[in-house]
Amino acid sequence: QQQVKQSPQSLIVQKGGISIINCAYENTAFDYFPWYQQFPGKGPALLIAIRPDVSEKKEGRFTISFNKSAKQFSLHIMDSQPGDSATYFCAASMVYNFNKFYFGSGTKLNVKP
Amino acid sequence: NAGVTQTPKFQVLKTGQSMTLQCAQDMNHEYMSWYRQDPGMGLRLIHYSVGAGITDQGEVPNGYNVSRSTTEDFPLRLLSAAPSQTSVYFCASRRIGRENSYEQYFGPGTRLTVT
């Protein structure tokens, strides 16, 4: 079964709106949670990542919110732009055993102008 | 730096054929890995390597072989292709054991179709 569950599968947002993508995990040993952005025909690229010692991390318009007790984390894209249209993947790994990453199923974001 | 490169970009195989997907990186990264990407499944780890001569299995290793004779190259071999191996394959690499070494760098992918 998938170790990281991601929703929604697809998302349509108007330009300037907030895009929110959610992920949940079961394995409490996970302690590194990155988000990847993938444009069509390209490989994924790291967007932002968080460790569980903080509840929020912000980089520009992108924010990760982390809820350790609920075993959930989410990506918020503020002031969404058409250039943000891409597929987003959450992932989880363990810093002490960093050889394996577990990815969510992906969210296809379409930001309408 | 070219980063992570993959060849070919596209490939069509018949069931039972074998082939090798090539991956190379010029960043002197110790860790390299192969993923497959399927609709609704995200990326799943096939095999990984933490250095020349050292490889291990990921989530979905069956039907795939790897070896790592140099730091730069990490080829993925399909011994007898099956339609279930139709997918997009990504190679990734990262440093090990250094500050800020968590980031994985992905190649552009190889789209494989098995008929």
Side-chain angles (χ1 to χ4, degrees):
Chain A
Q1 73 281 14
Q2 270 200 304
Q3 301 248 7
V4 180
K5 295 184 178 171
Q6 183 171 345
S7 63
Q9 190 174 348
S10 63
L11 183 60
I12 299 174
V13 173
Q14 290 296 127
K15 178 183 174 181
I18 302 174
S19 303
I20 301 174
I21 304 170
N22 301 300
C23 284
Y25 65 97
E26 285 299 323
N27 189 345
T28 54
F30 289 146
D31 57 1
Y32 175 68
F33 302 92
W35 284 90
Y36 285 82
Q37 181 187 54
Q38 184 181 30
F39 292 105
K42 305 290 186 184
L46 180 66
L47 185 63
I48 187 173
I50 197 168
R51 297 288 308 276
D53 51 344
V54 297
S55 60
E56 186 175 281
K57 183 174 182 180
K58 185 175 181 179
E59 288 184 4
R61 295 183 294 108
F62 300 92
T63 299
I64 300 179
S65 296
F66 184 79
N67 186 329
K68 189 173 181 178
S69 61
K71 291 184 285 186
Q72 295 175 348
F73 58 110
S74 59
L75 176 69
H76 297 237
I77 306 174
M78 312 301 286
D79 187 27
S80 299
Q81 299 297 313
D84 297 330
S85 297
T87 299
Y88 292 82
F89 293 95
C90 60
S93 187
M94 292 167 273
V95 172
Y96 79 88
N97 181 11
F98 218 52
N99 294 326
K100 296 185 178 182
F101 278 68
Y102 299 91
F103 283 79
S105 54
T107 296
K108 189 170 184 179
L109 172 65
N110 184 7
V111 181
K112 296 236 181 246
Chain B
N1 278 357
V4 180
T5 57
Q6 293 183 237
T7 56
K9 288 191 189 305
F10 302 94
Q11 183 70 49
V12 179
L13 288 179
K14 293 187 188 305
T15 297
Q17 287 184 318
S18 63
M19 81 158 295
T20 299
L21 307 186
Q22 301 291 345
C23 174
Q25 52 92 9
D26 62 358
M27 297 174 281
N28 205 30
H29 286 170
E30 298 89 346
Y31 176 93
M32 296 184 75
S33 57
W34 278 101
Y35 290 86
R36 58 178 290 173
Q37 183 177 20
D38 302 293
M41 301 292 290
L43 290 94
R44 292 179 292 169
L45 181 65
I46 304 172
H47 285 286
Y48 67 91
S49 168
V50 296
I54 307 169
T55 64
D56 205 347
Q57 296 180 350
E59 287 181 84
V60 288
N62 292 341
Y64 307 96
N65 273 4
V66 292
S67 60
R68 184 130 177 241
S69 55
T70 67
T71 300
E72 295 77 21
D73 301 296
F74 190 43
L76 178 72
R77 296 183 192 84
L78 282 70
L79 302 176
S80 178
S84 61
Q85 294 179 304
T86 293
S87 187
V88 182
Y89 291 85
F90 288 99
C91 180
S93 73
R94 67 173 179 88
R95 293 190 182 279
I96 292 178
R98 291 174 178 80
E99 284 286 329
N100 299 319
S101 65
Y102 299 162
E103 181 170 0
Q104 289 197 88
Y105 296 84
F106 284 83
T110 294
R111 184 174 293 273
L112 175 68
T113 302
V114 183
T115 61

